[in-house]
Amino acid sequence: MGQSDMRVMSDGQLIDACVELDREQKTIRALLNRYKAELQARGLALIEDHNVRYVKFYGDEGSAAITDSMSLDILNPDKLRSLVGEEVYGMRVKEEVKTSYKFDSKFEKALKAIFTGDYTFETTLDEFLDEMSVKPDEKQKKLLLKKLKGEFEKDKETLISVLGRDGEELPDFDVELWYIYRIKNGELIRAFLPEDMLDATIEGIKKSIFVESKTSITLDYDKNREE
């Protein structure tokens, strides 16, 4: 409805039009939120299965990016310092004047893995590669030990490129990638923490920090295009 049409409308007609549009907007907003929630649920399932923090879905009209972010906070800095040691804490944590904490990225990843339980000490990467369904030869194994980082997408590309053979179909490696992710997190944790009383130290760290997870969705489409 154009501005010229609005000028000839009565007060009551304008009010009725506003009420109708407001009701439509609420209905559309509720439906949009339901669609977004379903996309977020599907994205979160993929994120958890693939150990990533970001997935993207595509449609004919645009795309939707699902992001799962984790923020780390220290509940007891003095206790954390005593558990990981003054040297590690001093090198890997920067205390700012406003009493916020800036973490070295690798140390932050290790602490988040401790809090979420996404790690394992049950096997080494060397041992695990020998147990894979597609076993690497010694040359491939040496390369994998060097290149695998515990990052789903990059590690999948690495496994395919290293283990791929002409005419041979490879598995999706999802289970293997999950174990590699946990093994590499375990290696990272051990790199920062003293071996003595390791389990007790980990339990103490869990009580000294808090990790908050937040899932968001971003729609990307041509906003200038009219229906």
Side-chain angles (χ1 to χ4, degrees):
M1 182 176 292
Q3 289 187 6
S4 58
D5 297 319
M6 294 180 190
R7 293 194 186 101
V8 300
M9 293 172 66
S10 67
D11 295 344
Q13 288 174 321
L14 286 169
I15 292 170
D16 291 343
C18 288
V19 170
E20 183 179 355
L21 289 171
D22 190 63
R23 283 174 176 162
E24 289 179 3
Q25 180 178 315
K26 288 179 179 178
T27 300
I28 292 171
R29 177 61 59 183
L31 185 58
L32 176 61
N33 287 338
R34 287 173 60 189
Y35 286 148
K36 283 184 175 181
E38 177 61 26
L39 280 171
Q40 285 180 293
R42 296 181 186 186
L44 194 56
L46 285 174
I47 285 170
E48 291 175 350
D49 287 344
H50 292 172
N51 305 311
V52 294
R53 290 285 166 255
Y54 173 89
V55 294
K56 199 166 188 178
F57 298 123
Y58 295 91
D60 294 335
E61 297 294 329
S63 63
I66 315 298
T67 305
D68 185 51
S69 58
M70 293 194 299
S71 60
L72 174 65
D73 189 23
I74 299 180
L75 301 178
N76 191 330
D78 292 334
K79 185 175 182 180
L80 180 62
R81 181 189 284 105
S82 67
L83 288 165
V84 303
E86 185 65 44
E87 183 177 357
V88 169
Y89 189 92
M91 290 177 61
R92 303 291 176 169
V93 182
K94 180 181 178 182
E95 296 187 2
E96 298 182 350
V97 177
K98 59 180 181 180
T99 322
S100 62
Y101 303 91
K102 185 176 181 180
F103 295 88
D104 169 90
S105 59
K106 290 184 178 179
F107 187 52
E108 182 175 4
K109 184 177 181 181
L111 291 178
K112 286 178 177 178
I114 286 173
F115 189 87
T116 58
D118 289 334
Y119 65 90
T120 183
F121 302 136
E122 294 177 359
T123 184
T124 65
L125 185 57
D126 190 302
E127 294 168 340
F128 179 74
L129 292 177
D130 289 334
E131 300 171 0
M132 287 178 55
S133 57
V134 181
K135 292 183 176 62
D137 58 32
E138 285 304 314
K139 185 178 179 181
Q140 292 171 331
K141 182 179 176 181
K142 186 175 180 180
L143 184 59
L144 290 173
L145 287 171
K146 183 178 180 180
K147 296 189 69 174
L148 292 172
K149 304 298 182 184
E151 300 174 14
F152 183 89
E153 295 296 342
K154 291 181 180 179
D155 286 352
K156 187 169 188 176
E157 290 178 5
T158 297
L159 289 176
I160 291 172
S161 64
V162 173
L163 300 177
R165 301 179 180 91
D166 292 339
E168 183 178 351
E169 185 175 348
L170 293 172
D172 57 23
F173 290 122
D174 281 3
V175 174
E176 287 88 346
L177 289 163
W178 181 74
Y179 275 106
I180 291 168
Y181 167 73
R182 288 166 58 84
I183 290 169
K184 295 301 290 185
N185 280 347
E187 290 178 1
L188 198 58
I189 292 168
R190 275 202 152 113
F192 289 119
L193 302 185
E195 283 292 331
D196 186 41
M197 301 288 290
L198 181 61
D199 290 340
T201 301
I202 287 174
E203 288 304 312
I205 289 173
K206 285 181 181 179
K207 298 175 182 178
S208 303
I209 62 175
F210 181 74
V211 175
E212 184 177 18
S213 182
K214 180 181 178 181
T215 306
S216 62
I217 179 171
T218 303
L219 295 177
D220 184 25
Y221 61 94
D222 186 356
K223 296 177 175 62
N224 295 320
R225 202 185 95 181
E226 296 182 359
E227 291 293 332

